[in-house]
């Protein structure tokens, strides 16, 4: 592990949403501040800076991570995924994002980035979740606008849709074979 | 509008739950919240030093060390701020001053004391640590009724007995009604402090132009823009030299971001003092501790009732706690509901005493529900008590008192003009479609099994679109005459058409996530025969360029009723002119012009049509071709204020709001007998909010309000120690509902359009904050058969109601010590322990009296200096949880019995908090040349450390003290003291446990 000097900024190279990026960070700079103000990826939001609200949740090497409790220098060489990387195209939404919009699963949208990142990782690991599992996952996030139910509904709907499209994909492949 | 064309609409976007135009960006990381916008090069960052004491005089502030830090540009204190500003306006006539930063005296934990402006936020926060403030503490008062008591500590000389206002009101003949009543039923309640805590905190960027003496501030402020006048006055500039802008997106507000305005003044002053733009982003601790809070209120409410449960009179005694300063627009929370003190009921006689007190807590301000939760918790709890005391069904008592359906518009005794409604029909629908009968059966079944199951009801009127004049009801009629009349609720909207006929809408509504842009696109699309996609809505606010007025902003649920209505009026006016233009070209009478599918066409002949864009662009390209007398269609701004919102009259009647929705709620809850946890079995909320513009958003507002209310009812409270210490400084201490706690309410609608609003819509965003706490409490009261309940209904508050008081300890077992508190109520801890040291008592004795040894074994000590043989002074850096800072410690030794016993007393004080304690140490030699060491300590902590680390302190005390002695033992055995472990660094503030302030 490299030794970092406290009064210097260090180059941090990592992959952000599949693209290599590089920025400079002092050893105490939070990943949340680094992503937002150094890299310019402002989609990740900061709500409490003590790890409770979940707004700053990102994926670091596939692991759900509170960016406000992570130092920027910790992501050296890592693969970081943020809300900016969810949509398949700049003018389209992923199935999960579209389900959020359809179900009014956001109002102010400030907490949404963290919730989307958690659900994105969760649905990959648990493709057929039930409501209790979704609620359990969401308990790591605070939303003050929606009352959560539309988020639960969006997550369940997105899970079903992702399952269906994968099934169709598999069937399509079988048919072609 | 008289004289307005009834432009025929053949499309209907309003009323449909279309997808929101806002969402794609918000879901993709493309939001434009304040902190996402970037800043000009050279922008500096502000951090604020805050008071650790609830009440203290500032004796001195030494900023030299902070100023000397590289990267720090300025340090300002209250005196500096006072030099550059005027005090903030206070809402009552009294000789008191309210400053955004403490001058000479702090009155609540978290009050700004100094600010640092530096090159980045990290440096600014570092420098806060180096500011030394010397305080002389005063006794604090936290409870509003205590504040009124004889001999209570006084906060402001201008508020004798801490009383900022004391007004009595009388409507009808309450004395006679009480004299003739069959029964009098009364209830006393204390509504606690809480806040809707948006996930985005306050933020601002301020600039100052010295050449024009003008400020430009971008802030996530939410209105009302009457506050703009308060800010410009504080900054001593005319309003046209304070440009206040808001970003496109806001991370929630719920009223709370009205309270940023004192910080706008601070940021503006910092920009002026440094000559640079200054940015400030509030952190969560600051937000919870010192942004703003809803008021807590102590209410005694009496009702005169007939034997069959009809209420003939109400007598309110409300004591409103506005915290340490009466900041604008307070005491508005108390008067927002003034016209609605009779709720949904026809009660002709009302007596009111309204007192406003100040206490050593955070100043209050706007918060979702704004006065409604406080009023209805008293009123709806009382309605249940009436039923119980009269042996009637609570629902029947509600029914018998509802305002008759044929009585609208209905003038309440205190003066509200209830616009429309059919409360009986909404209630009947709620009962039938919500499944009340099944719920009652479930209660019977549960009770038959011995379970604790209860049903609660609440019926409330939800006011919206505040009359800007209601606040003046706090003044006497004579004072009002002097101040001049205040009334109305100006809403503004602008519809503009560009040279290719594309339509834009600008509003001064400052949305905070409600989806205003979508609804406005629907409203205007309907008028102009376009689709919402054709309309671009800009809801960013800029006081230098936009049409706005004092009522602009996002509060009192005014959007659907007022702002969307103003947009409709502006669009109607443009449509009227476009129809004239088209009529001339289509050769049909203007009444025959239809807006449909992007065309203006003849009603009877679809082929006789013109493209909307062609007609719309005419004013740009060929104004000479406009029909005579037709104004251009380039831009139309509508100002709308309802004539019903008149000023308070000489008898203090006030129509405090324009619209009045109705909500009938009931719920079934079960309380776990063992854990006292509440499970909501079913919650039904039946609403009438007039015409529904967007069903998805309306239900979203209801669900969101319900979740906030559930938090207020079951979880949330800004807790203060008796000394005014703030105890809930993190979201792990101030608990808000998660997805695990919030069930889906059953939402039902009836629609009685408001005759007073352009679209028939009423507000809907705050109602459940008013109804749900009372409804849940009524259910709990029903389940437990108790009369007195205090929110939040936490398991620990319900357990004694289920199990009775804690029984005495069985014989032979020591009773648990009740949670102790310090002399002034600080968090207090006690403990004891033992250690064995391989050195003789004499050697240990020498070590304890040696500064170098102490420096080596006290974690975080920078140096210990000897003041006298028995007194030491030390600088220590301590961190607990997110709170790390420097403290000054003073330690004295007493009760010396060398080398057998000594008592260490001391006190630490720093910007993050204060603490103290005493430790009695006894040294007993063993047989092997070693020493048995025993200690017993008492300690207290206050300030920021107590507010964020409260949960950790007790357990941490034991660990850290053990480590101190472990280090002592190692040192005595000849080793060097080890570096403190991570745990000890986290828990390090507890080294303060060895020190205690002299009693």
């Amino acid at each position: 592990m490299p030794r970092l000097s406290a009064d210097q900024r260090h180059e941090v190279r990592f992959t952000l949403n599949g693209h290599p990026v590089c920025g400079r960070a002092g050893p105490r700079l939070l990943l949340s501040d680094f992503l937002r103000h150094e890299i310019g990826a402002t989609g990740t939001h900061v709500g409490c800076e003590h790890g409770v609200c979940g707004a700053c949740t990102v994926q670091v090497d596939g692991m759900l991570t509170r960016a406000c409790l992570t130092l920027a220098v910790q992501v050296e060489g890592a693969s970081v995924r943020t809300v900016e990387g969810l949509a398949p195209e700049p003018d389209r939404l992923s199935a999960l994002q579209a389900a959020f919009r359809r179900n009014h699963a956001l109002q102010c949208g400030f907490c949404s980035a963290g919730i989307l990142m958690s659900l994105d990782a969760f649905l990959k690991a648990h493709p057929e979740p039930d409501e209790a599992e979704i609620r359990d996952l969401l308990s790591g996030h605070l939303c003050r606008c929606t009352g959560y139910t539309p988020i639960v509904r969006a997550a369940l709907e997105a899970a079903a849709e992702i399952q269906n499209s994968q099934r169709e994909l598999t069937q399509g492949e079988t048919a072609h074979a | 509008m008289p004289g307005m064309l009834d432009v025929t609409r053949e499309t209907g976007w309003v009323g449909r739950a279309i997808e929101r135009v806002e969402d794609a960006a918000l879901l993709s990381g493309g939001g434009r919240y304040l902190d996402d916008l970037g800043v000009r090069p050279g922008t500096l960052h502000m951090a604020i030093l805050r008071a650790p004491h609830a009440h203290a005089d500032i004796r001195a502030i030494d900023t030299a060390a902070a100023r000397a830090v590289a990267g720090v540009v300025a340090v300002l204190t209250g005196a500096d701020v006072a030099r550059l500003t005027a005090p903030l306006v206070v809402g009552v006539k009294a000789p008191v001053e309210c400053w955004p930063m403490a001058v000479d005296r702090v009155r609540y934990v978290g009050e700004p004391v100094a600010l640092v402006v530096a090159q980045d936020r990290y440096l600014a926060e570092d420098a806060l640590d180096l500011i030394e403030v010397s305080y002389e503490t005063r006794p604090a008062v936290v409870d509003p009724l205590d504040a009124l008591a004889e001999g209570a500590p006084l906060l402001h000389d201008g508020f004798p007995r801490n009383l900022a206002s004391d007004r009595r009101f009388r409507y009808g003949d309450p004395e006679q009604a009480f004299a003739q009543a069959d029964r009098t039923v009364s209830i006393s309640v204390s509504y606690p402090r809480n806040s809707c805590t948006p996930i985005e905190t306050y933020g601002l960027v301020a600039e100052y132009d010295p050449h024009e003496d003008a400020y430009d501030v971008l802030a996530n402020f939410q209105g009302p823009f009457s506050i703009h006048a308060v800010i410009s006055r504080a900054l001593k500039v005319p309003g046209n030299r304070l440009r206040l802008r808001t970003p496109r997106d806001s991370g929630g507000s719920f009223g709370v971001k009205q309270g940023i305005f004192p910080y706008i003044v601070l940021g503006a002053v910092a920009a002026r003092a440094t000559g640079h733009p200054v940015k400030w982003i509030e952190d969560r601790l600051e937000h919870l501790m010192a942004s703003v809070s809803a008021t807590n209120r102590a209410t005694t409410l009496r009702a005169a009732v007939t034997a069959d449960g009809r209420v003939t009179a109400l007598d309110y005694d409300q004591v409103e706690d506005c915290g340490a300063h009466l900041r604008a627009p307070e005491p508005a929370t108390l008067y927002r509901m003034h016209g609605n003190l009779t709720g949904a009921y026809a009660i002709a006689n009302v007596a009111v005493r309204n007192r406003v007190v100040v206490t050593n807590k955070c100043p209050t301000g706007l918060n979702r529900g704004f006065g409604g939760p406080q009023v209805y918790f008293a009123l709806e709890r009382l309605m249940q008590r009436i039923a119980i005391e009269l042996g009637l069904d609570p629902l029947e008592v509600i029914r018998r008192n509802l305002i008759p359906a044929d009585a609208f518009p209905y003038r309440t005794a205190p003066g509200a003009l209830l616009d429309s409604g059919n409360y009986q029909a909404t209630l009947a629908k709620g009962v039938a479609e919500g499944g009340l009968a099944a719920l009652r059966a479930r209660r019977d079944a549960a009770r038959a099994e011995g379970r604790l199951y209860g049903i609660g009801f609440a019926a409330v009127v939800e006011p919206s679109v505040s009359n800007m004049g209601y606040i003046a009801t706090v003044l006497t009629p004579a004072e009002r005459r002097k101040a001049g009349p205040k009334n109305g609720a100006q809403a503004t909207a602008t519809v503009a058409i560009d040279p290719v006929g594309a339509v834009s809408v600008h509003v001064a509504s400052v949305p905070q996530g409600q989806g205003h842009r979508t609804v406005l696109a629907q409203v205007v699309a309907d008028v102009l025969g376009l689709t919402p996609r054709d309309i671009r809505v800009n809801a960013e606010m800029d006081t230098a360029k936009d049409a706005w007025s004092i009522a602009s902003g996002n509060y009192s649920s005014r959007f659907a009723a007022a702002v969307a209505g103003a947009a409709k009026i502006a669009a109607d006016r443009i449509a009227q002119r476009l129809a004239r233009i088209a009529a001339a070209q289509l050769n049909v009478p203007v009444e025959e012009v239809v807006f449909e599918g992007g065309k203006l066409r003849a009603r009877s002949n679809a082929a006789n049509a013109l493209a909307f864009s062609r007609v719309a662009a005419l004013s740009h390209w060929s104004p000479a071709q406009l029909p005579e007398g037709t104004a251009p269609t380039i831009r139309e701004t509508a100002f709308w204020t309802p004539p019903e919102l008149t000023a308070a009259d000489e008898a203090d009647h006030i129509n405090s709001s324009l619209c009045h929705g109705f909500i009938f709620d009931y719920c079934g809850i079960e309380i776990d007998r063992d854990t006292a946890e509440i499970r909501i079995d079913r919650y039904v909320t039946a609403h009438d909010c007039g015409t529904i513009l967007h069903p998805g958003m309306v239900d979203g507002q209801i669900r969101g309000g319900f979740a906030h209310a559930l938090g207020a009812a079951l979880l949330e409270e800004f807790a203060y120690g008796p000394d005014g210490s703030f105890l809930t400084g993190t979201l792990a201490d101030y608990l808000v509902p998660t997805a695990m706690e919030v069930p889906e309410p059953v939402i039902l609608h009836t629609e009685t359009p408001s005759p007073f609003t352009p679209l028939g819509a009423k507000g809907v965003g705050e109602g459940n904050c008013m109804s749900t706490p009372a409804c849940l409490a009524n259910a709990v009261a029903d389940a437990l058969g108790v009369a007195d309940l205090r929110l939040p209904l936490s398991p620990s508050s319900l357990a004694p109601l289920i199990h009775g008081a804690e029984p005495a300890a069985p014989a032979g077992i020591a009773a648990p010590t009740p949670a102790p508190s310090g002399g002034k109520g600080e968090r207090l801890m006690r403990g004891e322990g033992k250690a064995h040291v391989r050195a003789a008592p004499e050697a240990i004795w020498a070590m304890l009296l040696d500064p170098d040894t102490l420096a080596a074994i006290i974690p975080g000590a920078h140096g210990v200096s000897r003041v006298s043989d028995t007194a030491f002074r030390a600088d220590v850096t301590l961190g607990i949880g997110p709170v790390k800072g420097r403290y000054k410690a003073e330690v004295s030794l007493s009760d010396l019995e060398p080398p057998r016993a000594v008592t260490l007393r001391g006190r630490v004080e720093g910007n993050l908090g204060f603490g103290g304690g005493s430790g009695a140490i006894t040294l007993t030699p063993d047989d092997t040349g070693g020493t048995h060491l025993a200690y017993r300590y008492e300690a207290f902590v206050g300030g920021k450390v107590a507010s964020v680390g409260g949960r950790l302190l007790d357990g941490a005390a034991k660990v850290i003290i053990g480590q101190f002695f472990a280090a002592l033992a190692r040192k005595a055995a000849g080793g060097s003291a080890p570096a403190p472990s991570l745990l000890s660094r986290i828990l390090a503030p507890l080294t303060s446990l060895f020190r205690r302030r002299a009693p």
Side-chain angles (χ1 to χ4, degrees), chain A residues 81-94:
Chain A
R81 212 157 160 261
T82 64
V83 67
E84 286 94 341
L86 288 181
E89 299 287 338
D91 60 347
R92 286 176 55 203
L93 297 180
S94 70

Side-chain angles (χ1 to χ4, degrees), chain B residues 179-383:
Chain B
Q180 292 175 350
D182 295 330
R183 290 282 289 267
T184 298
V185 180
S186 81
I187 191 168
S188 290
V189 297
S190 289
Y191 200 86
R193 278 201 161 212
N194 50 45
S195 160
C196 288
T197 62
I199 303 298
E200 181 197 40
T201 56
Y202 291 171
L204 62 86
V205 184
E207 292 190 47
Y208 176 70
D209 177 348
H211 308 293
E212 294 202 47
D213 188 25
Y215 295 92
D216 187 333
V217 180
L218 178 71
N220 52 17
F221 177 64
Q222 63 130 49
F225 279 75
S226 52
I227 297 293
H228 182 274
V230 176
I231 301 168
S232 67
R233 188 167 151 171
L235 292 172
K236 298 198 277 196
V237 292
N240 61 2
R241 286 171 200 276
L242 169 63
R243 181 178 189 178
L244 183 54
R245 295 177 293 127
T246 64
R248 185 188 73 187
D249 297 318
S250 166
S253 175
F254 321 111
V256 173
K257 282 172 178 158
Q258 169 267 338
I260 192 179
F261 78 90
Y263 296 100
I264 292 178
V265 175
L266 292 183
V269 167
R272 178 169 174 173
T274 58
H276 286 268
V278 169
K279 177 173 175 177
W280 175 65
I281 301 292
E282 183 194 47
D283 74 24
R284 181 55 58 182
L285 169 61
E286 292 180 288
H287 189 81
L288 291 170
M289 174 168 67
S291 60
V292 80
S293 160
T295 63
N296 54 299
R297 188 181 299 176
T299 304
T300 296
L301 176 57
R302 293 192 308 136
V305 290
T306 62
D308 63 351
R310 272 284 302 152
V311 180
T312 56
L314 290 173
D315 181 1
Y316 277 92
D317 184 354
Q318 305 190 95
V319 178
E320 178 86 327
D321 179 352
C322 284
H325 299 283
L326 211 57
R327 275 190 195 151
E330 294 290 27
T333 312
L334 185 56
Y335 285 90
R336 190 266 179 112
M337 298 298 295
H338 197 77
N340 301 116
L341 289 173
T342 47
Y345 309 119
I347 302 170
N349 307 295
V350 180
V352 186
R353 183 181 189 189
N354 275 347
R355 281 174 286 181
V356 179
V357 304
V358 288
T359 61
N360 293 107
K361 303 205 291 288
C362 176
T364 58
L366 271 62
N367 194 69
R368 194 175 201 167
F370 202 51
Q374 294 90 332
V375 163
Y376 284 120
F377 190 72
L379 181 58
E380 292 305 295
R381 289 282 300 120
L382 178 70
M383 295 304 280

Side-chain angles (χ1 to χ4, degrees), chain A residues 28-34 36-37 40-50 52-55 83-87 89-94 96-113 116 131-150 152-153, chain B residues 17-20 22-31 33-37 120-123 126 195-201 249-252 254 279 282-285 288 368 512-515 694 696-697 699-701 703-705 707-708 711 716 729-732 734 736-745 882:
Chain A
R28 65 173 175 168
L29 187 71
L30 299 177
L31 177 59
S32 48
D33 286 342
F34 182 62
R36 292 175 47 75
H37 301 305
T42 55
T44 300
H45 294 138
V46 177
C48 75
E49 292 181 295
H50 55 267
V52 180
C53 81
V83 67
E84 286 94 341
L86 288 181
E89 299 287 338
D91 60 347
R92 286 176 55 203
L93 297 180
S94 70
L96 181 63
Q97 290 167 308
F100 264 59
R101 181 166 67 177
R102 229 170 20 247
N103 286 280
H104 302 290
L106 69 158
Q107 286 181 31
C108 81
F110 198 79
C111 69
S112 303
L116 288 168
E131 175 170 340
E133 290 170 316
I134 295 285
R135 283 193 180 263
D136 186 53
L137 175 87
L138 290 175
S139 70
H141 293 271
L142 298 180
C143 167
R144 290 300 250 168
C145 294
T146 63
Y148 301 105
T149 327
V152 174
R153 204 177 301 142
Chain B
I18 62 169
E19 292 188 351
R20 302 197 318 171
E22 290 89 347
D23 288 353
L26 299 182
L27 289 165
S28 311
Y33 304 90
L34 186 123
D35 196 26
D36 299 342
L37 297 179
D120 72 39
R121 184 179 169 190
Y122 289 61
L123 286 174
D126 286 350
S195 160
C196 288
T197 62
I199 303 298
E200 181 197 40
T201 56
D249 297 318
S250 166
F254 321 111
K279 177 173 175 177
E282 183 194 47
D283 74 24
R284 181 55 58 182
L285 169 61
L288 291 170
R368 194 175 201 167
Q512 319 275 319
Q514 296 93 335
H694 187 297
M697 289 185 208
D699 284 0
Q701 287 299 312
R703 275 193 211 95
H708 269 134
E716 298 177 32
T730 75
L731 291 173
Y734 185 83
V736 308
T738 73
M740 303 302 281
E741 285 83 42
V742 187
E744 170 74 345

Side-chain angles (χ1 to χ4, degrees), chain A residues 52-65:
Chain A
V52 180
C53 81
C56 69
T57 304
V58 298
Q59 297 169 8
V60 178
D61 290 331
M63 290 286 289
L64 289 176
T65 303

Side-chain angles (χ1 to χ4, degrees), chain B residues 455-815:
Chain B
I455 292 178
F457 300 93
V460 312
V461 164
E462 174 184 5
S464 53
V465 188
S466 282
N467 183 350
M468 298 309 279
Y470 76 73
I471 302 157
T473 318
V474 69
L475 305 175
T476 62
E479 287 171 326
R480 284 201 298 270
R481 277 195 296 275
K482 218 169 136 191
K486 290 192 175 65
N487 61 75
Q490 284 282 5
T492 64
T494 299
V495 175
I497 297 177
D498 76 4
V500 295
V503 179
S504 301
V505 179
H506 305 107
V507 289
S509 73
V510 200
Q512 319 275 319
Q514 296 93 335
H516 292 182
R517 292 172 59 216
T518 301
V519 174
L520 290 165
Q522 289 176 284
V523 169
V524 174
D526 272 358
V527 174
L528 300 178
L530 302 171
T531 70
R533 277 193 70 85
D534 299 322
I535 316 289
R536 196 85 203 284
V537 181
N538 186 325
E540 292 166 17
M541 175 81 185
D542 182 341
T543 59
K545 298 176 74 181
D546 293 331
W548 62 281
S549 179
I550 57 164
S552 297
N554 183 29
Y555 61 93
S556 78
S557 304
R558 68 194 303 278
F559 171 74
V563 179
K568 173 160 189 333
I569 291 168
D572 277 340
R573 287 186 194 155
I574 287 232
Q576 183 181 28
R577 278 179 248 152
L578 290 171
R580 285 219 183 89
I581 297 166
Q585 300 190 19
L586 296 171
N587 270 323
V588 295
V590 69
E591 300 78 25
E592 287 298 299
V593 176
V594 177
F595 289 72
E596 186 194 48
K599 291 190 161 59
L600 280 74
R601 66 167 178 83
R603 190 186 305 274
S604 52
N605 178 5
N608 188 14
L610 293 163
F612 175 88
S613 55
R614 189 174 175 86
V615 182
L618 190 78
S619 293
H620 288 280
W621 299 103
S622 188
Q625 270 187 289
L626 294 175
E628 198 166 324
T630 300
T633 59
I634 293 173
R635 197 177 182 93
E636 179 66 34
T637 297
F639 292 83
W640 178 77
T641 184
E644 292 81 8
L645 293 185
T646 49
D649 69 14
E650 289 291 303
D652 289 316
H653 294 100
I654 179 69
N655 186 19
S656 35
S657 301
L658 177 68
C659 309
H660 298 89
F662 175 70
I663 307 174
F664 170 63
D665 280 6
Y666 61 92
C667 66
I669 62 105
E670 182 168 0
I671 304 172
D672 186 298
R673 226 178 239 289
D674 296 325
T675 65
E677 252 180 314
I678 294 172
R679 180 182 66 84
I680 299 174
D681 186 24
R682 185 176 181 81
Y683 197 100
V684 178
T685 184
H687 282 250
D688 184 347
C689 63
T691 305
I692 291 174
L693 304 184
H694 187 297
M697 289 185 208
V698 164
D699 284 0
Q701 287 299 312
I702 291 170
R703 275 193 211 95
F706 171 70
H708 269 134
L710 185 144
L714 305 184
L715 298 166
E716 298 177 32
E717 180 174 15
F718 284 144
Y720 286 84
D723 66 336
S725 286
F726 182 66
L727 304 177
T728 45
T730 75
L731 291 173
D733 301 278
Y734 185 83
L735 298 178
V736 308
T738 73
M740 303 302 281
E741 285 83 42
V742 187
E744 170 74 345
V746 177
I747 301 171
L748 301 166
H749 292 288
T750 45
E751 288 186 59
T752 316
S754 172
F756 300 159
T757 67
L759 293 159
K762 308 179 180 186
V764 70
E766 300 178 86
N768 282 88
C769 287
M770 305 180 185
S771 60
T772 298
C775 183
L776 286 169
N778 282 343
V780 169
D782 184 48
L784 299 179
V786 296
D788 288 332
L789 285 174
R790 192 185 186 286
L791 303 183
L793 298 163
S794 62
S796 58
S797 74
L798 296 184
L801 303 178
I802 300 171
H803 303 292
E806 190 79 24
I813 295 175

